[in-house]
Amino acid sequence: MSLLNDLINLNLSETTEKIIAEYIWIGGSGMDLRSKARTLPGPVADPAKLPKWNYDGSSTNQAPGDDSEVILYPQAIFKDPFRRGNNILVMCDAYTPGGDPIPTNKRFKAAKIFSHPEVVPEEPWYGIEQEYTLLQKDVKWPLGWPVGGFPGPQGPYYCGVGADKSFGRDIVDSHYKACVYAGINISGINGEVMPGQWEFQVGPAVGIAAGDQLWVARYILERITEIAGVVLSFDPKPIQGDWNGAGAHTNYSTKSMRNDGGFHVIKKAIEKLGLRHKQHIAAYGEGNERRLTGRHETADINTFCWGVANRGASIRVGRDTEKAGKGYFEDRRPASNMDPYVVTSMIAETTILWKP
Amino acid sequence: MSLLSDLINLNLSDATEKIIAEYIWIGGSGMDLRSKARVCFITLPKLVTDPTKLPKWNYDGSSTDQAPGDDSEVILYPQAVFKDPFRRGNNILVMCDAYTPAGDPIPTNKRFNAAKIFSHPDVVAEEPWYGIEQEYTLLQKDVHWPVGWPIGGFPGPQGPYYCGVGADKSFGRDIVDSHYKACLYAGINISGINGEVMPGQWEFQVGPSVGISAGDQLWVARYILERITEIAGVVLSFDPKPIPGDWNGAGAHTNYSTKSMRNDGGIHVIKKAIEKLGLRHKGHIAAYGEGNERRLTGRHETADINTFSWGVANRGASIRVGRDTEKAGKGYFEDRRPASNMDPYVVTSMIAETTILWKP
């Protein structure tokens, strides 16, 4: 198929000023990513300079057939690692023609929280650890697992190397470089405890950018698994039994926490999170009850607890932070299928704005 | 096959003044594309853009159902030139239409009549713009079953596939993406692409193009697509309802505007135009593609074939006016009736004729 590759890899900058912009949005389930492309007359770096667009909301469960137009507002631009050149990916959110965010648009409310005058000076930073599982295409069984059976028990796979311990690294490595190319602040990757499961981290990102970057990183990952012929799963507990689930641990700090004496601010914030445990859990991803069992490096879903270096707690504070008296903490509760707009803004809202 | 690729990708510009021109025409069925190549001697400028500078040619019409065996020559008149994305360099694709040796358009030559309509002074003044949304289905080669579908079975129901991403939701993207770049390279005004509601079905849009060039560009875009599916070993289908049942059909929605519609007060011109189209509904439907009755059922985002209706943002109507147009009081409208296998020369010129020239 090298002739096809020649065409896919055509560098259009030599023949035209035009660029291709891939507009990305979240569909009606809140987890299904959708995208389509359009030609623009020249390179664009500022999302405010991109045209609004629209799509058929009746095909994504977001509008009725007789009033089907949903409007896309461009919010963030990244370089397109697939088309390269001056071509771009555009993360969008969705509005009615009247200008109101549609019900599944979680970014709108998050953006409001992040522009609140009390949140802005605290400069909330996020580092999100996105775990995911790769599945063989037609059987939907994890990559590397024998069809109709199981691999050896967990132990050798975490950060493992070798054909019998690591499955799908080409997807993970191409994703890493593609995200760096795109301008996403991807900070690392590692093989996870369950074979066929991986993790990448995005951050530190400030405020609303954390959500934008994580969603586009997810999009790039699904495009790559599409090329590889492998199915991507964000299910929080893909395999029942003695197999780890998949989370999206969210590391968080504010300016006050990062400054001297920050450790006290951190403790206060954690207390507030404890008082709103049930509400956060409800927004931390569907199916999380199958994952947060108290085993497999999780805390039970009904219990709120925190501890230094404790991976069995809801919230973990690193030893560095304890030692320095300032830093950040890790909310280990969010599931891999959480919406980062919801989780990041809710943590900011509870810890900065909410009064118990 | 890298040695073969090396040869296919030879850059001849260093070795010779000659270029290769691929002459493209439409065969006897009205949907079968044909082409053959010839060498042309070109001095300066190296890249030919003017079709009148190219020689007329001829082909064996008896092999394409367009002439009898004992009088088989059909003459090709070059009409539009594009850069060749396959041969690259200074090589070109040439869209042609077909004439008898005496100079008359052969019966299957729909471009001739369209060109007459588009050069009518009333039509020229209105500068008709077209944006055509070409849908198509990719089929696995030997079984003629859609790409990504299990042989002997069906994928999960429609829902996840429209603009979808992922190995279980999107089938054939490499074809679609290479087609996008190839068309841009060629100089076709391709404005976008998206995955469609039925898995294995895709759409690209060409436009806005003025008058006769809409047809030229869409035909060459179809040609480039069929060349690419040929490379990929996948079969291209323009059937308007490739799979019966609860699966969307394939259309070629045609967006249209005239100068009057694009100017202030245009919404009234649009409404008048839509009324005229309603009065000629049957005439248009007859020319909007074979087999369209299998697609225009009133379900799957279509209007029933016997009903003419229009509405703002209504995908179940024959004609849809966008919310932007309604809001601005001017703009364009979308005729959703044409099938994927329509002839753009026929459809574009008929819409212009009905809305600009025809008096009820």
Side-chain angles (χ1 to χ4, degrees):
Chain A
M1 293 278 212
S2 73
L3 298 179
L4 216 57
N5 285 344
D6 292 338
L7 291 171
I8 290 187
N9 293 332
L10 265 177
N11 182 359
L12 294 171
S13 327
E14 294 159 18
T15 46
T16 176
E17 285 285 303
K18 294 181 182 177
I19 65 147
I20 302 171
E22 187 86 31
Y23 279 51
I24 302 165
W25 73 95
I26 302 159
S29 77
M31 268 307 281
D32 54 315
L33 279 158
R34 309 274 179 160
S35 77
K36 57 174 179 162
R38 69 184 295 179
T39 308
L40 295 174
V44 180
D46 179 2
K49 297 216 167 30
L50 286 167
K52 292 185 168 77
W53 204 8
N54 65 77
Y55 68 94
D56 174 9
S58 68
S59 289
T60 58
N61 238 274
Q62 291 169 307
D66 56 5
D67 190 9
S68 59
E69 272 173 52
V70 178
I71 316 300
L72 290 170
Y73 288 28
Q75 298 291 2
I77 292 179
F78 299 89
K79 284 161 62 84
D80 185 335
F82 306 100
R83 297 195 177 100
R84 298 185 289 282
N86 289 319
N87 304 304
I88 53 177
L89 302 177
V90 184
M91 188 62 204
C92 305
D93 61 346
Y95 296 77
T96 64
D100 302 307
I102 64 172
T104 52
N105 178 349
K106 305 302 180 194
R107 189 188 191 281
F108 184 78
K109 178 161 179 254
K112 280 208 318 196
I113 289 170
F114 283 121
S115 29
H116 191 291
E118 286 170 47
V119 175
V120 173
E122 281 291 4
E123 243 188 272
W125 287 8
Y126 299 89
I128 304 176
E129 305 168 39
Q130 174 74 68
E131 293 179 331
Y132 61 92
T133 313
L134 298 174
L135 307 176
Q136 301 173 51
K137 192 160 88 90
D138 297 318
V139 292
K140 301 257 168 94
W141 196 235
L143 202 59
W145 293 39
V147 176
F150 293 81
Q154 295 184 153
Y157 313 110
Y158 170 73
C159 301
V161 190
D164 50 349
K165 284 161 273 173
S166 172
F167 313 111
R169 191 189 294 274
D170 52 351
I171 290 170
V172 185
D173 274 354
S174 48
H175 177 250
Y176 200 166
K177 281 198 176 180
C179 285
V180 174
Y181 176 95
I184 288 171
N185 200 0
I186 182 167
S187 35
I189 55 139
N190 62 271
E192 269 301 331
V193 175
M194 180 179 119
Q197 206 170 75
W198 292 86
E199 170 180 315
F200 66 89
Q201 307 98 30
V202 173
V206 186
I208 197 73
D212 291 336
Q213 293 202 18
L214 191 72
W215 273 115
V216 180
R218 286 175 171 180
Y219 174 82
I220 291 174
L221 181 59
E222 189 138 41
R223 284 287 302 272
I224 288 174
T225 52
E226 182 187 312
I227 293 170
V230 158
V231 169
L232 173 62
S233 170
F234 288 114
D235 189 276
K237 189 73 172 184
I239 308 292
Q240 299 296 323
D242 202 2
W243 304 99
N244 273 31
H249 304 159
T250 302
N251 298 279
Y252 172 71
S253 68
T254 60
K255 207 167 199 162
S256 312
M257 296 175 195
R258 298 190 289 271
N259 289 340
D260 288 333
F263 198 69
H264 303 290
V265 185
I266 288 174
K267 282 190 184 161
K268 283 222 169 68
I270 294 177
E271 273 169 37
K272 284 202 201 177
L273 287 168
L275 293 170
R276 291 192 92 200
H277 178 67
K278 278 194 160 38
Q279 291 91 318
H280 278 244
I281 284 291
Y284 274 13
E286 291 297 311
N288 214 2
E289 66 285 353
R290 290 180 283 121
R291 166 183 161 257
L292 294 181
T293 58
R295 298 177 58 224
H296 300 113
E297 300 171 273
T298 70
D300 175 79
I301 195 168
N302 296 312
T303 310
F304 181 86
C305 57
W306 73 276
V308 175
N310 183 354
R311 277 179 161 77
S314 319
I315 299 212
R316 162 172 156 263
V317 176
R319 290 220 174 276
D320 321 16
T321 296
E322 183 192 38
K323 200 165 171 189
K326 59 187 175 180
Y328 66 96
F329 64 83
E330 176 193 23
D331 188 345
R332 295 176 62 80
R333 299 171 293 171
S336 42
N337 60 354
M338 60 82 150
D339 184 328
Y341 293 132
V342 171
V343 171
T344 56
S345 62
M346 197 174 193
I347 291 174
E349 188 184 39
T350 296
T351 58
I352 301 173
L353 299 176
W354 184 66
K355 318 277 178 230
Chain B
M1 292 278 210
S2 75
L3 298 178
L4 217 56
S5 297
D6 293 338
L7 292 172
I8 289 187
N9 291 333
L10 264 177
N11 182 357
L12 295 170
S13 328
D14 301 326
T16 176
E17 294 288 303
K18 298 177 189 174
I19 63 153
I20 303 173
E22 186 87 30
Y23 279 51
I24 302 166
W25 72 96
I26 301 160
S29 77
M31 269 307 282
D32 54 317
L33 279 158
R34 309 278 180 155
S35 76
K36 56 174 179 162
R38 66 183 290 171
V39 155
C40 295
F41 286 86
I42 301 294
T43 50
L44 287 164
K46 275 282 180 81
L47 181 62
V48 180
T49 49
D50 181 1
T52 62
K53 301 245 171 352
L54 290 164
K56 291 187 169 73
W57 204 9
N58 65 76
Y59 67 92
D60 173 10
S62 68
S63 290
T64 60
D65 234 48
Q66 290 169 306
D70 57 5
D71 188 10
S72 62
E73 268 182 26
V74 178
I75 316 302
L76 289 170
Y77 289 27
Q79 298 292 2
V81 180
F82 300 89
K83 283 161 66 83
D84 184 336
F86 306 100
R87 296 195 178 98
R88 297 187 285 283
N90 291 315
N91 304 302
I92 52 177
L93 302 177
V94 185
M95 188 64 204
C96 306
D97 60 346
Y99 296 76
T100 64
D104 302 306
I106 63 172
T108 53
N109 178 349
K110 306 301 179 193
R111 190 186 191 283
F112 185 80
N113 190 40
K116 278 205 324 193
I117 289 170
F118 283 122
S119 26
H120 189 294
D122 292 355
V123 176
V124 172
E126 279 289 3
E127 240 188 276
W129 286 9
Y130 298 89
I132 305 177
E133 305 170 38
Q134 174 74 69
E135 292 180 332
Y136 60 92
T137 313
L138 298 172
L139 305 176
Q140 301 173 52
K141 193 160 87 89
D142 298 317
V143 291
H144 281 225
W145 196 233
V147 166
W149 293 39
I151 312 264
F154 293 82
Q158 296 184 151
Y161 312 110
Y162 170 74
C163 300
V165 191
D168 51 348
K169 285 161 277 183
S170 173
F171 313 112
R173 191 190 295 272
D174 51 351
I175 289 169
V176 186
D177 274 352
S178 47
H179 178 251
Y180 200 166
K181 280 196 175 181
C183 284
L184 280 174
Y185 176 94
I188 288 170
N189 200 1
I190 182 167
S191 38
I193 55 138
N194 62 272
E196 268 301 330
V197 177
M198 178 178 119
Q201 207 170 75
W202 293 86
E203 170 181 315
F204 65 89
Q205 307 100 30
V206 174
S209 317
V210 187
I212 196 70
S213 71
D216 291 335
Q217 294 202 15
L218 190 73
W219 274 114
V220 180
R222 285 175 171 180
Y223 174 82
I224 292 175
L225 181 59
E226 191 139 38
R227 284 286 302 273
I228 287 175
T229 53
E230 181 186 311
I231 293 171
V234 157
V235 169
L236 174 62
S237 170
F238 287 114
D239 189 276
K241 189 76 171 184
I243 309 290
D246 202 1
W247 303 100
N248 274 31
H253 305 159
T254 301
N255 297 279
Y256 171 71
S257 68
T258 60
K259 209 168 196 159
S260 311
M261 296 174 194
R262 297 189 290 270
N263 287 340
D264 288 332
I267 189 84
H268 301 290
V269 185
I270 288 174
K271 284 188 183 162
K272 282 220 169 69
I274 295 178
E275 271 169 38
K276 285 201 198 177
L277 287 167
L279 292 170
R280 289 190 95 196
H281 179 66
K282 278 191 160 39
H284 277 246
I285 285 289
Y288 273 14
E290 292 296 312
N292 214 1
E293 67 284 354
R294 289 181 283 121
R295 167 182 159 259
L296 294 181
T297 58
R299 295 180 61 224
H300 301 112
E301 301 172 276
T302 69
D304 174 80
I305 196 169
N306 296 312
T307 310
F308 181 85
S309 61
W310 74 275
V312 176
N314 185 352
R315 280 178 158 83
S318 319
I319 300 211
R320 163 172 156 260
V321 175
R323 289 219 173 274
D324 319 15
T325 295
E326 184 194 39
K327 203 167 169 186
K330 57 186 175 181
Y332 66 97
F333 64 83
E334 177 193 22
D335 189 344
R336 294 175 64 80
R337 299 171 293 171
S340 42
N341 58 355
M342 60 80 148
D343 184 327
Y345 294 131
V346 170
V347 171
T348 56
S349 60
M350 197 173 195
I351 291 175
E353 188 185 40
T354 296
T355 58
I356 301 172
L357 301 176
W358 185 64
K359 317 276 178 230

